């Protein structure tokens, strides 16, 4: 009787590990495609006016995001989720560049929202509070500070066209970093 229970438990663990592994592979492909789509949408927004060069700013993205070697799959998923959520909030704030096509911004918000939902249902909810606490270490705090600097910059510049162009360029590169983190989903 005990042997049968142990066998059933072992099979359950094996199947759940395999299922989560397949989820990560699918998630990796979907996340990469979504990032590419978001970058295309950002490119479609008006380009940088020549007189905006003086508005450039280094928002200081955390080093761990640029070089994510130490991340495990689970933690990378949490970080990506937080990045997508913060990018969403930058654009969702309600202040957009009046020169931008609102349809493109709406499409970008929709793409971000879909990917956040997918990450949340595929990984974030399943991994539980313990992994969430580990992922919400100092890196998440530094990441949140990074996005606060972006929002404060927009506010200080009164949401000008140049400020939005600088922010758009910064967020464009965020998707390259997200793709590096997404590579952690590979087996």
């Amino acid at each position: 009787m005990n042997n049968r229970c142990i066998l059933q438990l072992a099979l359950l663990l094996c199947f759940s590990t395999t299922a989560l592994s397949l989820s990560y592979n699918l998630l990796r492909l979907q996340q990469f495609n979504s990032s590419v789509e978001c970058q295309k949408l950002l490119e479609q927004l008006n380009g940088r006016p020549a007189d905006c060069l003086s508005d450039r700013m280094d928002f200081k993205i955390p080093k761990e995001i640029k070089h994510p070697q130490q991340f495990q799959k689970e933690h990378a998923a949490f970080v990506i989720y937080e990045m997508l959520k913060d990018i969403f909030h930058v654009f969702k704030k309600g202040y957009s560049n009046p020169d931008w096509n609102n349809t493109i911004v709406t499409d970008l918000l929709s793409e971000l929202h879909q990917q956040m939902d997918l990450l949340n249902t595929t990984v974030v909810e399943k991994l539980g509070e313990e992994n969430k606490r580990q992922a919400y270490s100092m890196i998440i705090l530094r990441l949140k500070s990074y996005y606060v600097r972006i929002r404060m910059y927009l506010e200080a510049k009164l949401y000008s066209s140049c400020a939005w162009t600088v922010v758009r360029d910064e967020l464009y590169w965020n998707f390259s970093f997200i793709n590096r983190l997404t590579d952690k989903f590979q087996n």
Side-chain angles (χ1 to χ4, degrees):
M1 175 89 162
N2 282 342
N3 288 340
R4 193 170 66 190
C5 290
I6 292 172
L7 178 62
Q8 288 174 344
L9 183 60
L11 287 172
L12 179 63
L13 285 173
C14 181
F15 288 135
S16 64
T17 304
T18 302
L20 192 55
S21 178
L22 292 173
S23 293
Y24 275 114
N25 287 333
L26 179 60
L27 184 62
R28 180 174 178 257
L29 178 62
Q30 289 172 326
Q31 180 58 57
F32 179 78
N33 289 337
S34 178
S35 291
V36 169
E37 182 61 28
C38 288
Q39 284 180 314
K40 286 179 185 176
L41 289 166
L42 286 170
E43 285 174 351
Q44 291 175 23
L45 297 174
N46 290 346
R48 175 184 311 134
D51 59 345
C52 290
L53 294 176
S54 63
D55 288 308
R56 298 285 307 153
M57 182 174 169
D58 181 6
F59 296 103
K60 297 182 181 3
I61 193 163
K63 291 179 182 108
E64 298 92 338
I65 302 300
K66 289 182 178 179
H67 309 288
Q69 293 84 357
Q70 83 280 6
F71 284 107
Q72 297 172 351
K73 287 180 194 184
E74 298 83 10
H75 297 158
F78 282 117
V79 170
I80 292 168
Y81 179 79
E82 287 299 323
M83 290 178 76
L84 293 171
K85 188 167 70 170
D86 284 321
I87 292 168
F88 182 88
H89 288 299
V90 167
F91 283 100
K92 187 68 175 166
K93 179 72 176 168
Y95 303 99
S96 63
N97 187 335
D99 298 332
W100 287 353
N101 180 332
N102 285 333
T103 303
I104 296 172
V105 175
T106 301
D107 290 348
L108 177 64
L109 289 170
S110 176
E111 188 70 36
L112 290 168
H113 193 267
Q114 287 174 4
Q115 197 55 34
M116 286 186 304
D117 280 349
L118 180 64
L119 271 168
N120 195 38
T121 57
T122 307
V123 179
V124 176
E125 287 178 355
K126 291 179 182 172
L127 291 175
E129 287 302 313
E130 183 59 33
N131 279 318
K132 200 172 192 177
R133 274 193 293 281
Q134 289 175 0
Y136 276 80
S137 61
M138 290 302 292
I139 180 61
I140 296 296
L141 295 176
R142 285 193 293 275
L143 191 60
K144 292 229 171 267
S145 293
Y146 165 76
Y147 288 105
V148 166
R149 285 190 295 275
I150 289 174
R151 289 191 299 273
M152 288 174 54
Y153 169 81
L154 280 169
E155 194 173 305
K157 295 286 186 171
L158 304 174
Y159 301 91
S160 70
S161 291
C162 281
W164 270 113
T165 300
V166 168
V167 168
R168 182 210 58 196
D169 291 350
E170 181 75 14
L171 296 179
Y172 178 90
W173 287 108
N174 276 217
F175 291 102
S176 296
F177 300 134
I178 287 171
N179 284 338
R180 287 185 198 163
L181 286 163
T182 302
D183 284 341
K184 293 293 178 184
F185 295 167
Q186 195 169 12
N187 290 333

